[in-house]
Amino acid sequence: EAGVAQSPRYKIIEKRQSVAFWCNPISGHATLYWYQQILGQGPKLLIQFQNNGVVDDSQLPKDRFSAERLKGVDSTLKIQPAKLEDSAVYLCASSLGVTSGFHEQYFGPGTRLTVT
Amino acid sequence: GIQVEQSPPDLILQEGANSTLRCNFSDSVNNLQWFHQNPWGQLINLFYIPSGTKQNGRLSATTVATERYSLLYISSSQTTDSGVYFCAVGNAGGTSYGKLTFGQGTILTVHP
């Protein structure tokens, strides 16, 4: 079974530029999560989708971050414009779904973003 | 929201030693996962253990949900066990919709 796929693996941009990350979850997983992991900390949720609807974006800085999950499969996370403090690893995860009764989340390899 | 505390923050072992990592959480959960983050940043699933005891080779885990803690045991440690170990908890079906809240992690270093 293929795992969660993410691209790119690394990205270096200058502040005020824009960047986009892509995630393909495990086949059949209804719930998709984007987490941000700053160096030295545990990951923190940015946004959660159930199929193609947003169920939690309370921690997403909506003035600069946006995310979508068209057709309930792939997802993209965008930052525009980027700030220095956005330097972090962006992790995508998926799970069968809140209503499945089985909640284990699986993570992709992450995208390491450096903003200079 | 749920608070998660991991201890110890750092652990240094000689190869072959055993260790116990602890995770305390502040509220009832229906998801608890242990991860190993390797040097390349990949989070590797070790256990999905909202309650009970599981074993996988040299690793085992126990969660006592009623007392709000979980333990990860590593026996006969190897240098490849080095990295950061995270405990993460969630409460799917509640207001959090199942998001995981992570602890700060335990940094394990195993010397040959």
Side-chain angles (χ1 to χ4, degrees), chain B residues 50-81:
Chain B
S51 64
T53 297
K54 291 185 177 180
Q55 181 157 7
N56 184 2
R58 297 181 295 103
L59 274 59
S60 63
T62 295
T63 297
V64 184
T66 54
E67 298 188 19
R68 298 180 183 168
Y69 73 88
S70 183
L71 302 173
L72 177 68
Y73 305 97
I74 304 174
S75 65
S76 304
S77 58
Q78 301 176 358
T79 56
T80 52
D81 294 333

Side-chain angles (χ1 to χ4, degrees), chain B residues 24-89:
Chain B
N24 293 331
F25 46 97
S26 62
D27 206 345
S28 60
V29 299
N30 57 18
N31 184 3
L32 189 145
Q33 294 184 241
W34 283 98
F35 297 93
H36 176 212
Q37 189 162 45
N38 66 21
W40 298 270
Q42 175 83 54
L43 280 169
I44 298 165
N45 289 38
L46 297 178
F47 292 102
Y48 169 69
I49 187 166
S51 64
T53 297
K54 291 185 177 180
Q55 181 157 7
N56 184 2
R58 297 181 295 103
L59 274 59
S60 63
T62 295
T63 297
V64 184
T66 54
E67 298 188 19
R68 298 180 183 168
Y69 73 88
S70 183
L71 302 173
L72 177 68
Y73 305 97
I74 304 174
S75 65
S76 304
S77 58
Q78 301 176 358
T79 56
T80 52
D81 294 333
S82 296
V84 185
Y85 288 79
F86 285 106
C87 169
V89 303

